[in-house]
Amino acid sequence: MAFMSGLQRLLRQSPLLHSHHASIRLASTLTSPKLFVSGLSRLTTDEKLKEAFSSFGQLVEAKVITDRASGRSKGFAFVTYTTIEEAEKAREGMNAKFLDGWVIFVDPAKPREPRPPQQSRSQPSESGFTVNKTVGWCG
């Protein structure tokens, strides 16, 4: 039991371990000036995001992604710079830092994958009524 608590204490205090994990997270190089920011507080706004990231270079856009129905933040955002170098500086400077009391993570943004076309959820029946299959009522 004493061995395990000693091992846990050693792992928590090891700067080598922490720097090793940080270097793994930052290992990939950016191919675009767009960054994905996760771990955001629900209170973080576009303006607060822009303010936090503006010191690293010229921002093209800083956008917190919100839920369409409620308008509340989904907890992530995208930040775009004019150059890849500025984005890399921001990534190094803001990754695993606090913003609005929450630890945020900054990673390269991945290209959006194409979605298959959505099919209509309601189809007219033989009687002419529209059937909503997701809810199960006729109208």
Side-chain angles (χ1 to χ4, degrees), residues 44-136:
T44 302
T45 61
D46 291 349
E47 292 75 29
K48 288 181 181 180
L49 188 68
K50 197 174 289 188
E51 183 181 315
F53 280 83
S54 64
S55 63
F56 298 99
Q58 185 177 352
L59 285 172
V60 173
E61 181 182 40
K63 181 73 179 152
V64 174
I65 305 305
T66 56
D67 180 72
R68 289 182 195 164
S70 69
R72 292 180 43 197
S73 167
K74 288 188 172 186
F76 65 93
F78 291 96
V79 177
T80 308
Y81 286 91
T82 54
T83 67
I84 291 175
E85 291 77 20
E86 292 170 333
E88 189 64 52
K89 283 195 302 186
R91 183 173 167 218
E92 291 171 7
M94 292 298 290
N95 189 42
K97 300 291 191 257
F98 282 94
L99 180 62
D100 289 334
W102 289 53
V103 176
I104 63 169
F105 298 98
V106 183
D107 294 299
K110 296 177 184 170
R112 189 176 207 170
E113 294 181 10
R115 293 183 178 180
Q118 287 189 344
Q119 296 178 358
S120 174
R121 292 186 183 190
S122 58
Q123 300 170 350
S125 67
E126 293 175 8
S127 62
F129 290 101
T130 300
V131 178
N132 185 332
K133 292 183 180 179
T134 59
V135 178

